[in-house]
Amino acid sequence: LFADGQYPDAVETYRRAIHLLRVNEGLYTESQVGMVEQLIEAYFQMGDFIAADDQQLYLFRIRKQHLDPSDPEMLQVVEQLADWHRTAYLGQLDRFRYPRIVDLIDLYADMSEAVGESEGENSRNKLPYLEGKLRTEYLLSVYPGESDELLQVEANQRNNADLPDLKKLRFIGFRNDNYRHGLTTIREMRQIIESDPNSSPLELADVLVRLGDWYQWHRRYAQAIRVYRQAWDTAGGDPDADNWRESNFSKPLELPSEVVFQPGRMPVLLYHDAEVQARFVVTRHGEAHDIEILSPDRADNQPAVTRGYKYLRDMRFRPRLEDGVVVSAAAIERTYNIRY
């Protein structure tokens, strides 16, 4: 049925089979995994993203019952759920978007804590979960917001808060302390790398670049320049230092380096999509100046040109370094796919 595109019939077949397995074998048995995955795909093909969402959470609970937090397969399971949350968030699946951010932070924090409890606070197996948490902090930093009514917290709500209100309060705390929480996550990553005597100079340099990028993202330019120089010097102790410096600092790079803002499979509710080619200067502070939109022509697509200017003015870059010194970069030409 699934192969023939008969998705509604396939859904009913999978639902009945899963129900029988739960009755006969128990709630979270591994034998359900393949059918739940097919059920999710069928819902997705039908455009029933709400139903797919429920099954994604159920699939995660099944897999979590049978995998150790440090198991590489568990990391894949976590990233699958995290990518779904991110996709649903960017695709505006929910009426209120902020719970997805809280769920993502909790997902990564819980897994990092579980690894720490079983292997120690400086276990390297925490690093992928801390990296995921940092990606979420980048998402949160540009949160578009809900209406004032949705996020307004009054004094009398604090004493009689129900669960949704508690999540709302937690989200407001995360949003208000976004910069500090990001720093805390990076410093925890740095502590793990520095505590391991087998860490290479490039691993230490990489975590310093993450710190510099976070400073840069929040326009703490002096701190960013200082840390980028520290990363450059730290890499010098590695035989592959030249290639590392070329990759990280030979040209301005858009921040963040991860693809956290790229939409996933779920359709994003936007009206226009335009490819914009631009030439500009990137300053020592990682800002685009002297912006010139090369295409499309203003007469052909004024909205895209206007949006392109705004996009680049808001963009933050990791600046170029020469011999460890941050410098400006002229005549940078890039092409961007802008959705608006």
Side-chain angles (χ1 to χ4, degrees), residues 132-272:
K133 188 170 181 290
L134 181 60
R135 290 193 296 270
T136 306
E137 295 292 352
Y138 273 107
L139 269 182
L140 175 58
S141 70
V142 294
Y143 184 77
E146 316 282 4
S147 70
D148 291 340
E149 292 181 6
L150 297 182
L151 286 180
Q152 185 176 7
V153 180
E154 299 178 359
N156 60 0
Q157 288 180 308
R158 295 180 180 270
N159 296 326
N160 300 291
D162 56 24
L163 289 178
D165 286 333
L166 288 175
K167 181 169 279 192
K168 186 187 303 181
L169 286 168
R170 292 184 65 223
F171 169 78
I172 293 171
F174 288 142
R175 185 177 62 175
N176 290 343
D177 290 331
N178 169 247
Y179 173 67
R180 180 174 62 84
H181 287 164
L183 284 181
T184 299
T185 300
I186 298 168
R187 285 167 179 163
E188 189 172 354
M189 296 166 64
R190 183 175 181 179
Q191 177 181 322
I192 292 170
I193 296 297
E194 290 180 337
S195 68
D196 184 354
N198 296 317
S199 293
S200 70
L202 295 189
E203 288 178 300
L204 294 170
D206 281 337
V207 78
L208 287 171
V209 167
R210 289 184 183 276
L211 178 59
D213 287 349
W214 188 249
Y215 283 138
Q216 188 78 353
W217 183 256
H218 286 273
R219 302 186 188 280
R220 267 70 169 185
Y221 299 127
Q223 292 100 316
I225 289 173
R226 173 179 56 81
V227 173
Y228 286 145
R229 177 56 191 257
Q230 187 179 356
W232 178 282
D233 292 340
T234 299
D238 194 279
D240 201 34
D242 289 343
N243 289 333
W244 184 91
R245 288 166 172 169
E246 174 75 17
S247 174
N248 284 278
F249 291 123
S250 64
K251 58 186 177 183
L253 298 175
E254 292 84 354
L255 296 179
S257 57
E258 296 87 356
V259 293
V260 293
F261 302 124
Q262 295 299 318
R265 294 180 63 197
M266 191 178 302
V268 177
L269 300 179
L270 297 171
Y271 298 103
H272 302 286

Side-chain angles (χ1 to χ4, degrees), residues 61-73:
R61 288 194 292 270
I62 295 174
R63 302 305 304 277
K64 189 177 180 182
Q65 292 285 324
H66 302 279
L67 292 170
D68 185 85
S70 300
D71 191 320
E73 190 175 350

Side-chain angles (χ1 to χ4, degrees), residues 247-306:
S247 174
N248 284 278
F249 291 123
S250 64
K251 58 186 177 183
L253 298 175
E254 292 84 354
L255 296 179
S257 57
E258 296 87 356
V259 293
V260 293
F261 302 124
Q262 295 299 318
R265 294 180 63 197
M266 191 178 302
V268 177
L269 300 179
L270 297 171
Y271 298 103
H272 302 286
D273 187 297
E275 186 174 273
V276 173
Q277 184 181 7
R279 181 188 297 121
F280 49 90
V281 171
V282 175
T283 69
R284 294 177 67 251
H285 290 164
E287 297 176 340
H289 285 193
D290 301 331
I291 301 167
E292 179 185 1
I293 303 298
L294 304 178
S295 69
D297 186 85
R298 185 182 298 271
D300 296 333
N301 196 338
Q302 175 65 47
V305 171
T306 301

